[in-house]
Amino acid sequence: MHIRNFIGGKWINAKGKRTFDSLNPADNRRIVAKAPLSGREDIDLAVAAAREALAGWRRKPAPRRGEILFRAGELLIREKQRVGELVTTEMGKVLAEGLGDVQEAIDMAFYMAGEGRRMQGETVPSELPDKDCKSLREPLGVVALITPWNFPTAIPAWKIFAALICGNTVVFKPSSDTPACAAALVQILEEAGVPPGVVNMVCGSGADVGEYLVTHAGVDAVSFTGSCAAGERLEGLLGRMHRPLATEMGGKNAIIIMADADLSLALEGVLWGAFGTSGQRCTAASRVVVHEKVHEGFIDMLAGAAKHLRLGDGLLEGTDVGPLINEQQYMKVLDYIRIGSGEGAQLITGGMAVTAGACAHGFFIAPTVFAQVTPNMRIAREEIFGPVVSVVKCSGLDEAMGIVNNVPFGLSAAIYSRDVNTTARAERDLQTGIVYVNASTIGAEIQLPFGGWRHSGSGHPEAGGRGGALDFYTRIKVVYRDFSGRLQKAQIDK
Ligand code: UN1
């Protein structure tokens, strides 16, 4: 498959004619796509195209913009199987999750399409007679969107659909690990009738073109999902430019299991939260804080179940856990496993690369459980982004919440308990952007904001919801209209 950039409504190669390969992480001998390794001149073209398209797009009535998104949703339904398989082939997650990735884009398309008929501002009474006051939502302008590889359809869809419904035009720089998934989404938008220049896609390395794009004079706002290091760098750069920035950067999410929890439900939550998508979710459960009364028993249950998870190519029926995305992530996760053992945590199961048989050419790591983890260990504090979970013992709710809250991240947390007072206290006191009760740390829905606190993000949630996406992708204009036809005295007396 040969991917091109999409600029001004045309699929074109990078000016410099260079390309890079996107590999199948389950078998890295297989090339999924050749994609353009773009340079600054390609970004310049894309930003110019987006600027040119802006006036027409922002004036198109929002319900009409919504109709295009509605068609995109229908096309995504038609293409769900094909795109879901592409997600699995290029990113590695198992097919059910690949299809789920596309479903999230479908849901977002319909949700945002409907927002085209709402997009509310405020109308409030004036202090004066014959005068009215209202606030309107206006687009920001040209937005630069930088997206990760772990949700290669869903996260671009969150950002692009929200940006479009609000009347912005887009320059989209997808992760270099998943250019084919990005192109599939953009093709669908093209077919849905997005006018030329309204969505532009430029592939290439974050260091070469990503940073150039987000600081480009022709860009008005930036949304970034990815690593903490890259996000913090952008915060530094863009803060000085007074340019709106939404960052979503990761987590160290925890599940609390109280003594009265339904342990089989909690077990499912931990397995799916820790090892789903091979742990490569920013919402992944990477810590489990278990009450001492059920601690030993739960570790046995978890180790027993984790051992039976089948690794392999996510397209094959029966595969539970796919590979890591690339060699760099694979080495990083193996490093953390060494760090955990070195820190004195007890390796209960997993803890190694799997290279036998069908796993010989992929980046596979066995689902790994560490016990006897203390809250100060690095494996209990740092984001690993792999199939590794650390179990920490606690003696009660307050201690558990102290452990959960006492990390730099604050994206998602969960509690399993049958006691309504316990779960209500957790709901109130867990210091994360998302809290789950008797459900795992994953599975956020698109009609609410998605975002983390502290180091997990800029504190400006995006994704769905009025308080999320619409607030980020619009700016407020306040209009006072005086229809008295005279200077009203109270205007001067103020
Ligand atoms: C991510 O983890 O990077 O809540 C995004 C979830 C998904 C999105 C996760 N809806 O798990």
Side-chain angles (χ1 to χ4, degrees):
M1 194 185 306
H2 195 118
I3 305 297
R4 293 187 167 81
N5 288 334
F6 188 66
I7 298 178
K10 295 200 172 63
W11 294 94
I12 53 178
N13 289 322
K15 282 224 154 188
K17 305 223 175 322
R18 292 189 303 159
T19 60
F20 65 93
D21 293 338
S22 148
L23 305 178
N24 179 332
D27 182 346
N28 52 51
R29 296 167 305 177
R30 283 162 46 201
I31 296 175
V32 178
K34 278 200 177 302
L37 188 60
S38 307
R40 295 179 167 197
E41 58 283 7
D42 303 298
I43 295 287
D44 289 340
L45 281 179
V47 173
R51 283 231 83 80
E52 205 183 309
L54 182 61
W57 183 247
R58 74 184 277 272
R59 283 196 210 115
K60 196 179 189 67
R64 299 277 97 82
R65 297 197 293 257
E67 283 165 13
I68 296 177
L69 290 186
F70 192 81
R71 278 200 293 282
E74 290 189 320
L75 292 171
L76 280 162
I77 292 176
R78 188 188 79 191
E79 300 297 318
K80 183 173 174 181
Q81 188 67 26
R82 178 182 68 83
V83 180
E85 285 173 13
L86 183 62
V87 169
T88 297
T89 308
E90 193 173 43
M91 184 272 158
K93 61 173 81 174
V94 297
L95 184 57
E97 294 176 344
L99 294 169
D101 206 304
V102 183
Q103 186 59 45
E104 216 164 298
I106 294 169
D107 296 339
M108 189 57 110
F110 291 134
Y111 176 80
M112 285 298 165
E115 282 298 334
R117 290 196 178 268
R118 288 183 286 268
M119 200 67 67
Q120 288 107 330
E122 286 181 285
T123 311
V124 291
S126 167
E127 297 164 354
L128 296 175
D130 300 328
K131 185 182 174 197
D132 54 26
C133 323
K134 64 182 175 186
S135 70
L136 306 166
R137 290 181 183 272
E138 296 252 337
L140 298 166
V142 173
V143 296
L145 308 179
I146 311 275
T147 59
W149 43 263
N150 67 336
F151 280 80
T153 310
I155 294 181
W158 294 358
K159 295 183 195 288
I160 296 174
F161 298 172
L164 291 184
I165 198 64
C166 296
N168 303 283
T169 57
V170 167
V171 180
F172 163 39
K173 209 297 277 172
S175 163
S176 300
D177 287 297
T178 50
C181 294
L185 180 66
V186 172
Q187 263 160 8
I188 282 171
L189 287 167
E190 182 189 18
E191 190 180 341
V194 171
V198 169
V199 172
N200 305 276
M201 178 185 83
V202 183
C203 300
S205 101
D208 290 348
V209 292
E211 206 160 302
Y212 181 68
L213 167 63
V214 300
T215 53
H216 199 288
V219 165
D220 297 299
V222 176
S223 170
F224 166 87
T225 301
S227 72
C228 271
E232 279 166 12
R233 198 173 149 72
L234 293 192
E235 281 171 347
L237 288 170
L238 298 187
R240 282 196 292 275
M241 300 178 79
H242 304 291
R243 183 168 290 183
L245 167 68
T247 55
E248 212 264 278
M249 300 186 289
K252 189 66 189 175
N253 316 295
I255 295 180
I256 298 175
I257 301 176
M258 299 303 290
D260 66 349
D262 175 338
L263 290 185
S264 39
L265 193 66
L267 176 64
E268 263 182 46
V270 173
L271 287 174
W272 182 231
F275 304 129
T277 320
S278 308
Q280 303 171 109
R281 287 170 108 117
C282 46
T283 51
S286 64
R287 297 181 290 160
V288 187
V289 182
V290 189
H291 195 281
E292 60 196 7
K293 284 198 190 132
V294 290
H295 176 259
E296 300 303 309
F298 188 77
I299 286 179
D300 289 346
M301 286 167 74
L302 176 57
K307 249 188 231 123
H308 289 110
L309 294 174
R310 279 156 303 182
L311 262 70
D313 184 332
L315 284 182
L316 300 178
E317 194 128 350
T319 301
D320 297 308
V321 180
L324 278 287
I325 183 73
N326 57 32
E327 189 170 6
Q328 194 190 344
Q329 287 300 118
Y330 174 75
M331 300 307 286
K332 178 181 150 199
V333 174
L334 289 174
D335 247 1
Y336 268 109
I337 292 172
R338 276 189 286 275
I339 290 169
S341 300
E343 284 178 309
Q346 185 189 352
L347 185 62
I348 299 288
T349 184
M352 74 260 175
V354 177
T355 51
C359 294
H361 300 285
F363 303 114
F364 291 94
I365 294 179
T368 298
V369 179
F370 278 111
Q372 310 296 340
V373 176
T374 56
N376 289 331
M377 290 182 183
R378 285 183 63 191
I379 57 165
R381 300 187 64 76
E382 296 173 18
E383 185 175 50
I384 298 177
F385 228 62
V388 180
V389 66
S390 297
V391 183
V392 182
K393 190 166 24 176
C394 72
S395 59
L397 182 63
D398 287 333
E399 192 198 351
M401 289 200 290
I403 293 167
V404 173
N405 291 338
N406 187 23
V407 289
F409 297 100
L411 181 54
S412 165
I415 180 159
Y416 284 82
S417 164
R418 288 191 171 97
D419 184 275
V420 68
N421 296 339
T422 302
T423 61
R425 283 180 55 213
E427 207 178 301
R428 186 191 62 194
D429 292 337
L430 284 169
Q431 298 296 303
T432 52
I434 311 171
V435 171
Y436 289 90
V437 176
N438 290 321
S440 191
T441 52
I442 60 174
E445 302 186 23
I446 55 84
Q447 65 276 26
L448 282 168
F450 177 93
W453 295 1
R454 302 190 301 284
H455 285 220
S456 290
S458 57
H460 197 122
E462 38 158 13
R466 206 152 296 149
L470 294 199
D471 281 354
F472 180 69
Y473 289 103
T474 56
R475 54 189 164 183
I476 299 296
K477 178 183 280 172
V478 172
V479 178
Y480 296 105
R481 180 174 52 174
D482 192 310
F483 51 97
S484 67
R486 63 198 147 81
L487 184 64
Q488 300 208 53
K489 192 169 171 308
Q491 284 176 348
I492 307 163
D493 290 347
K494 273 197 133 176

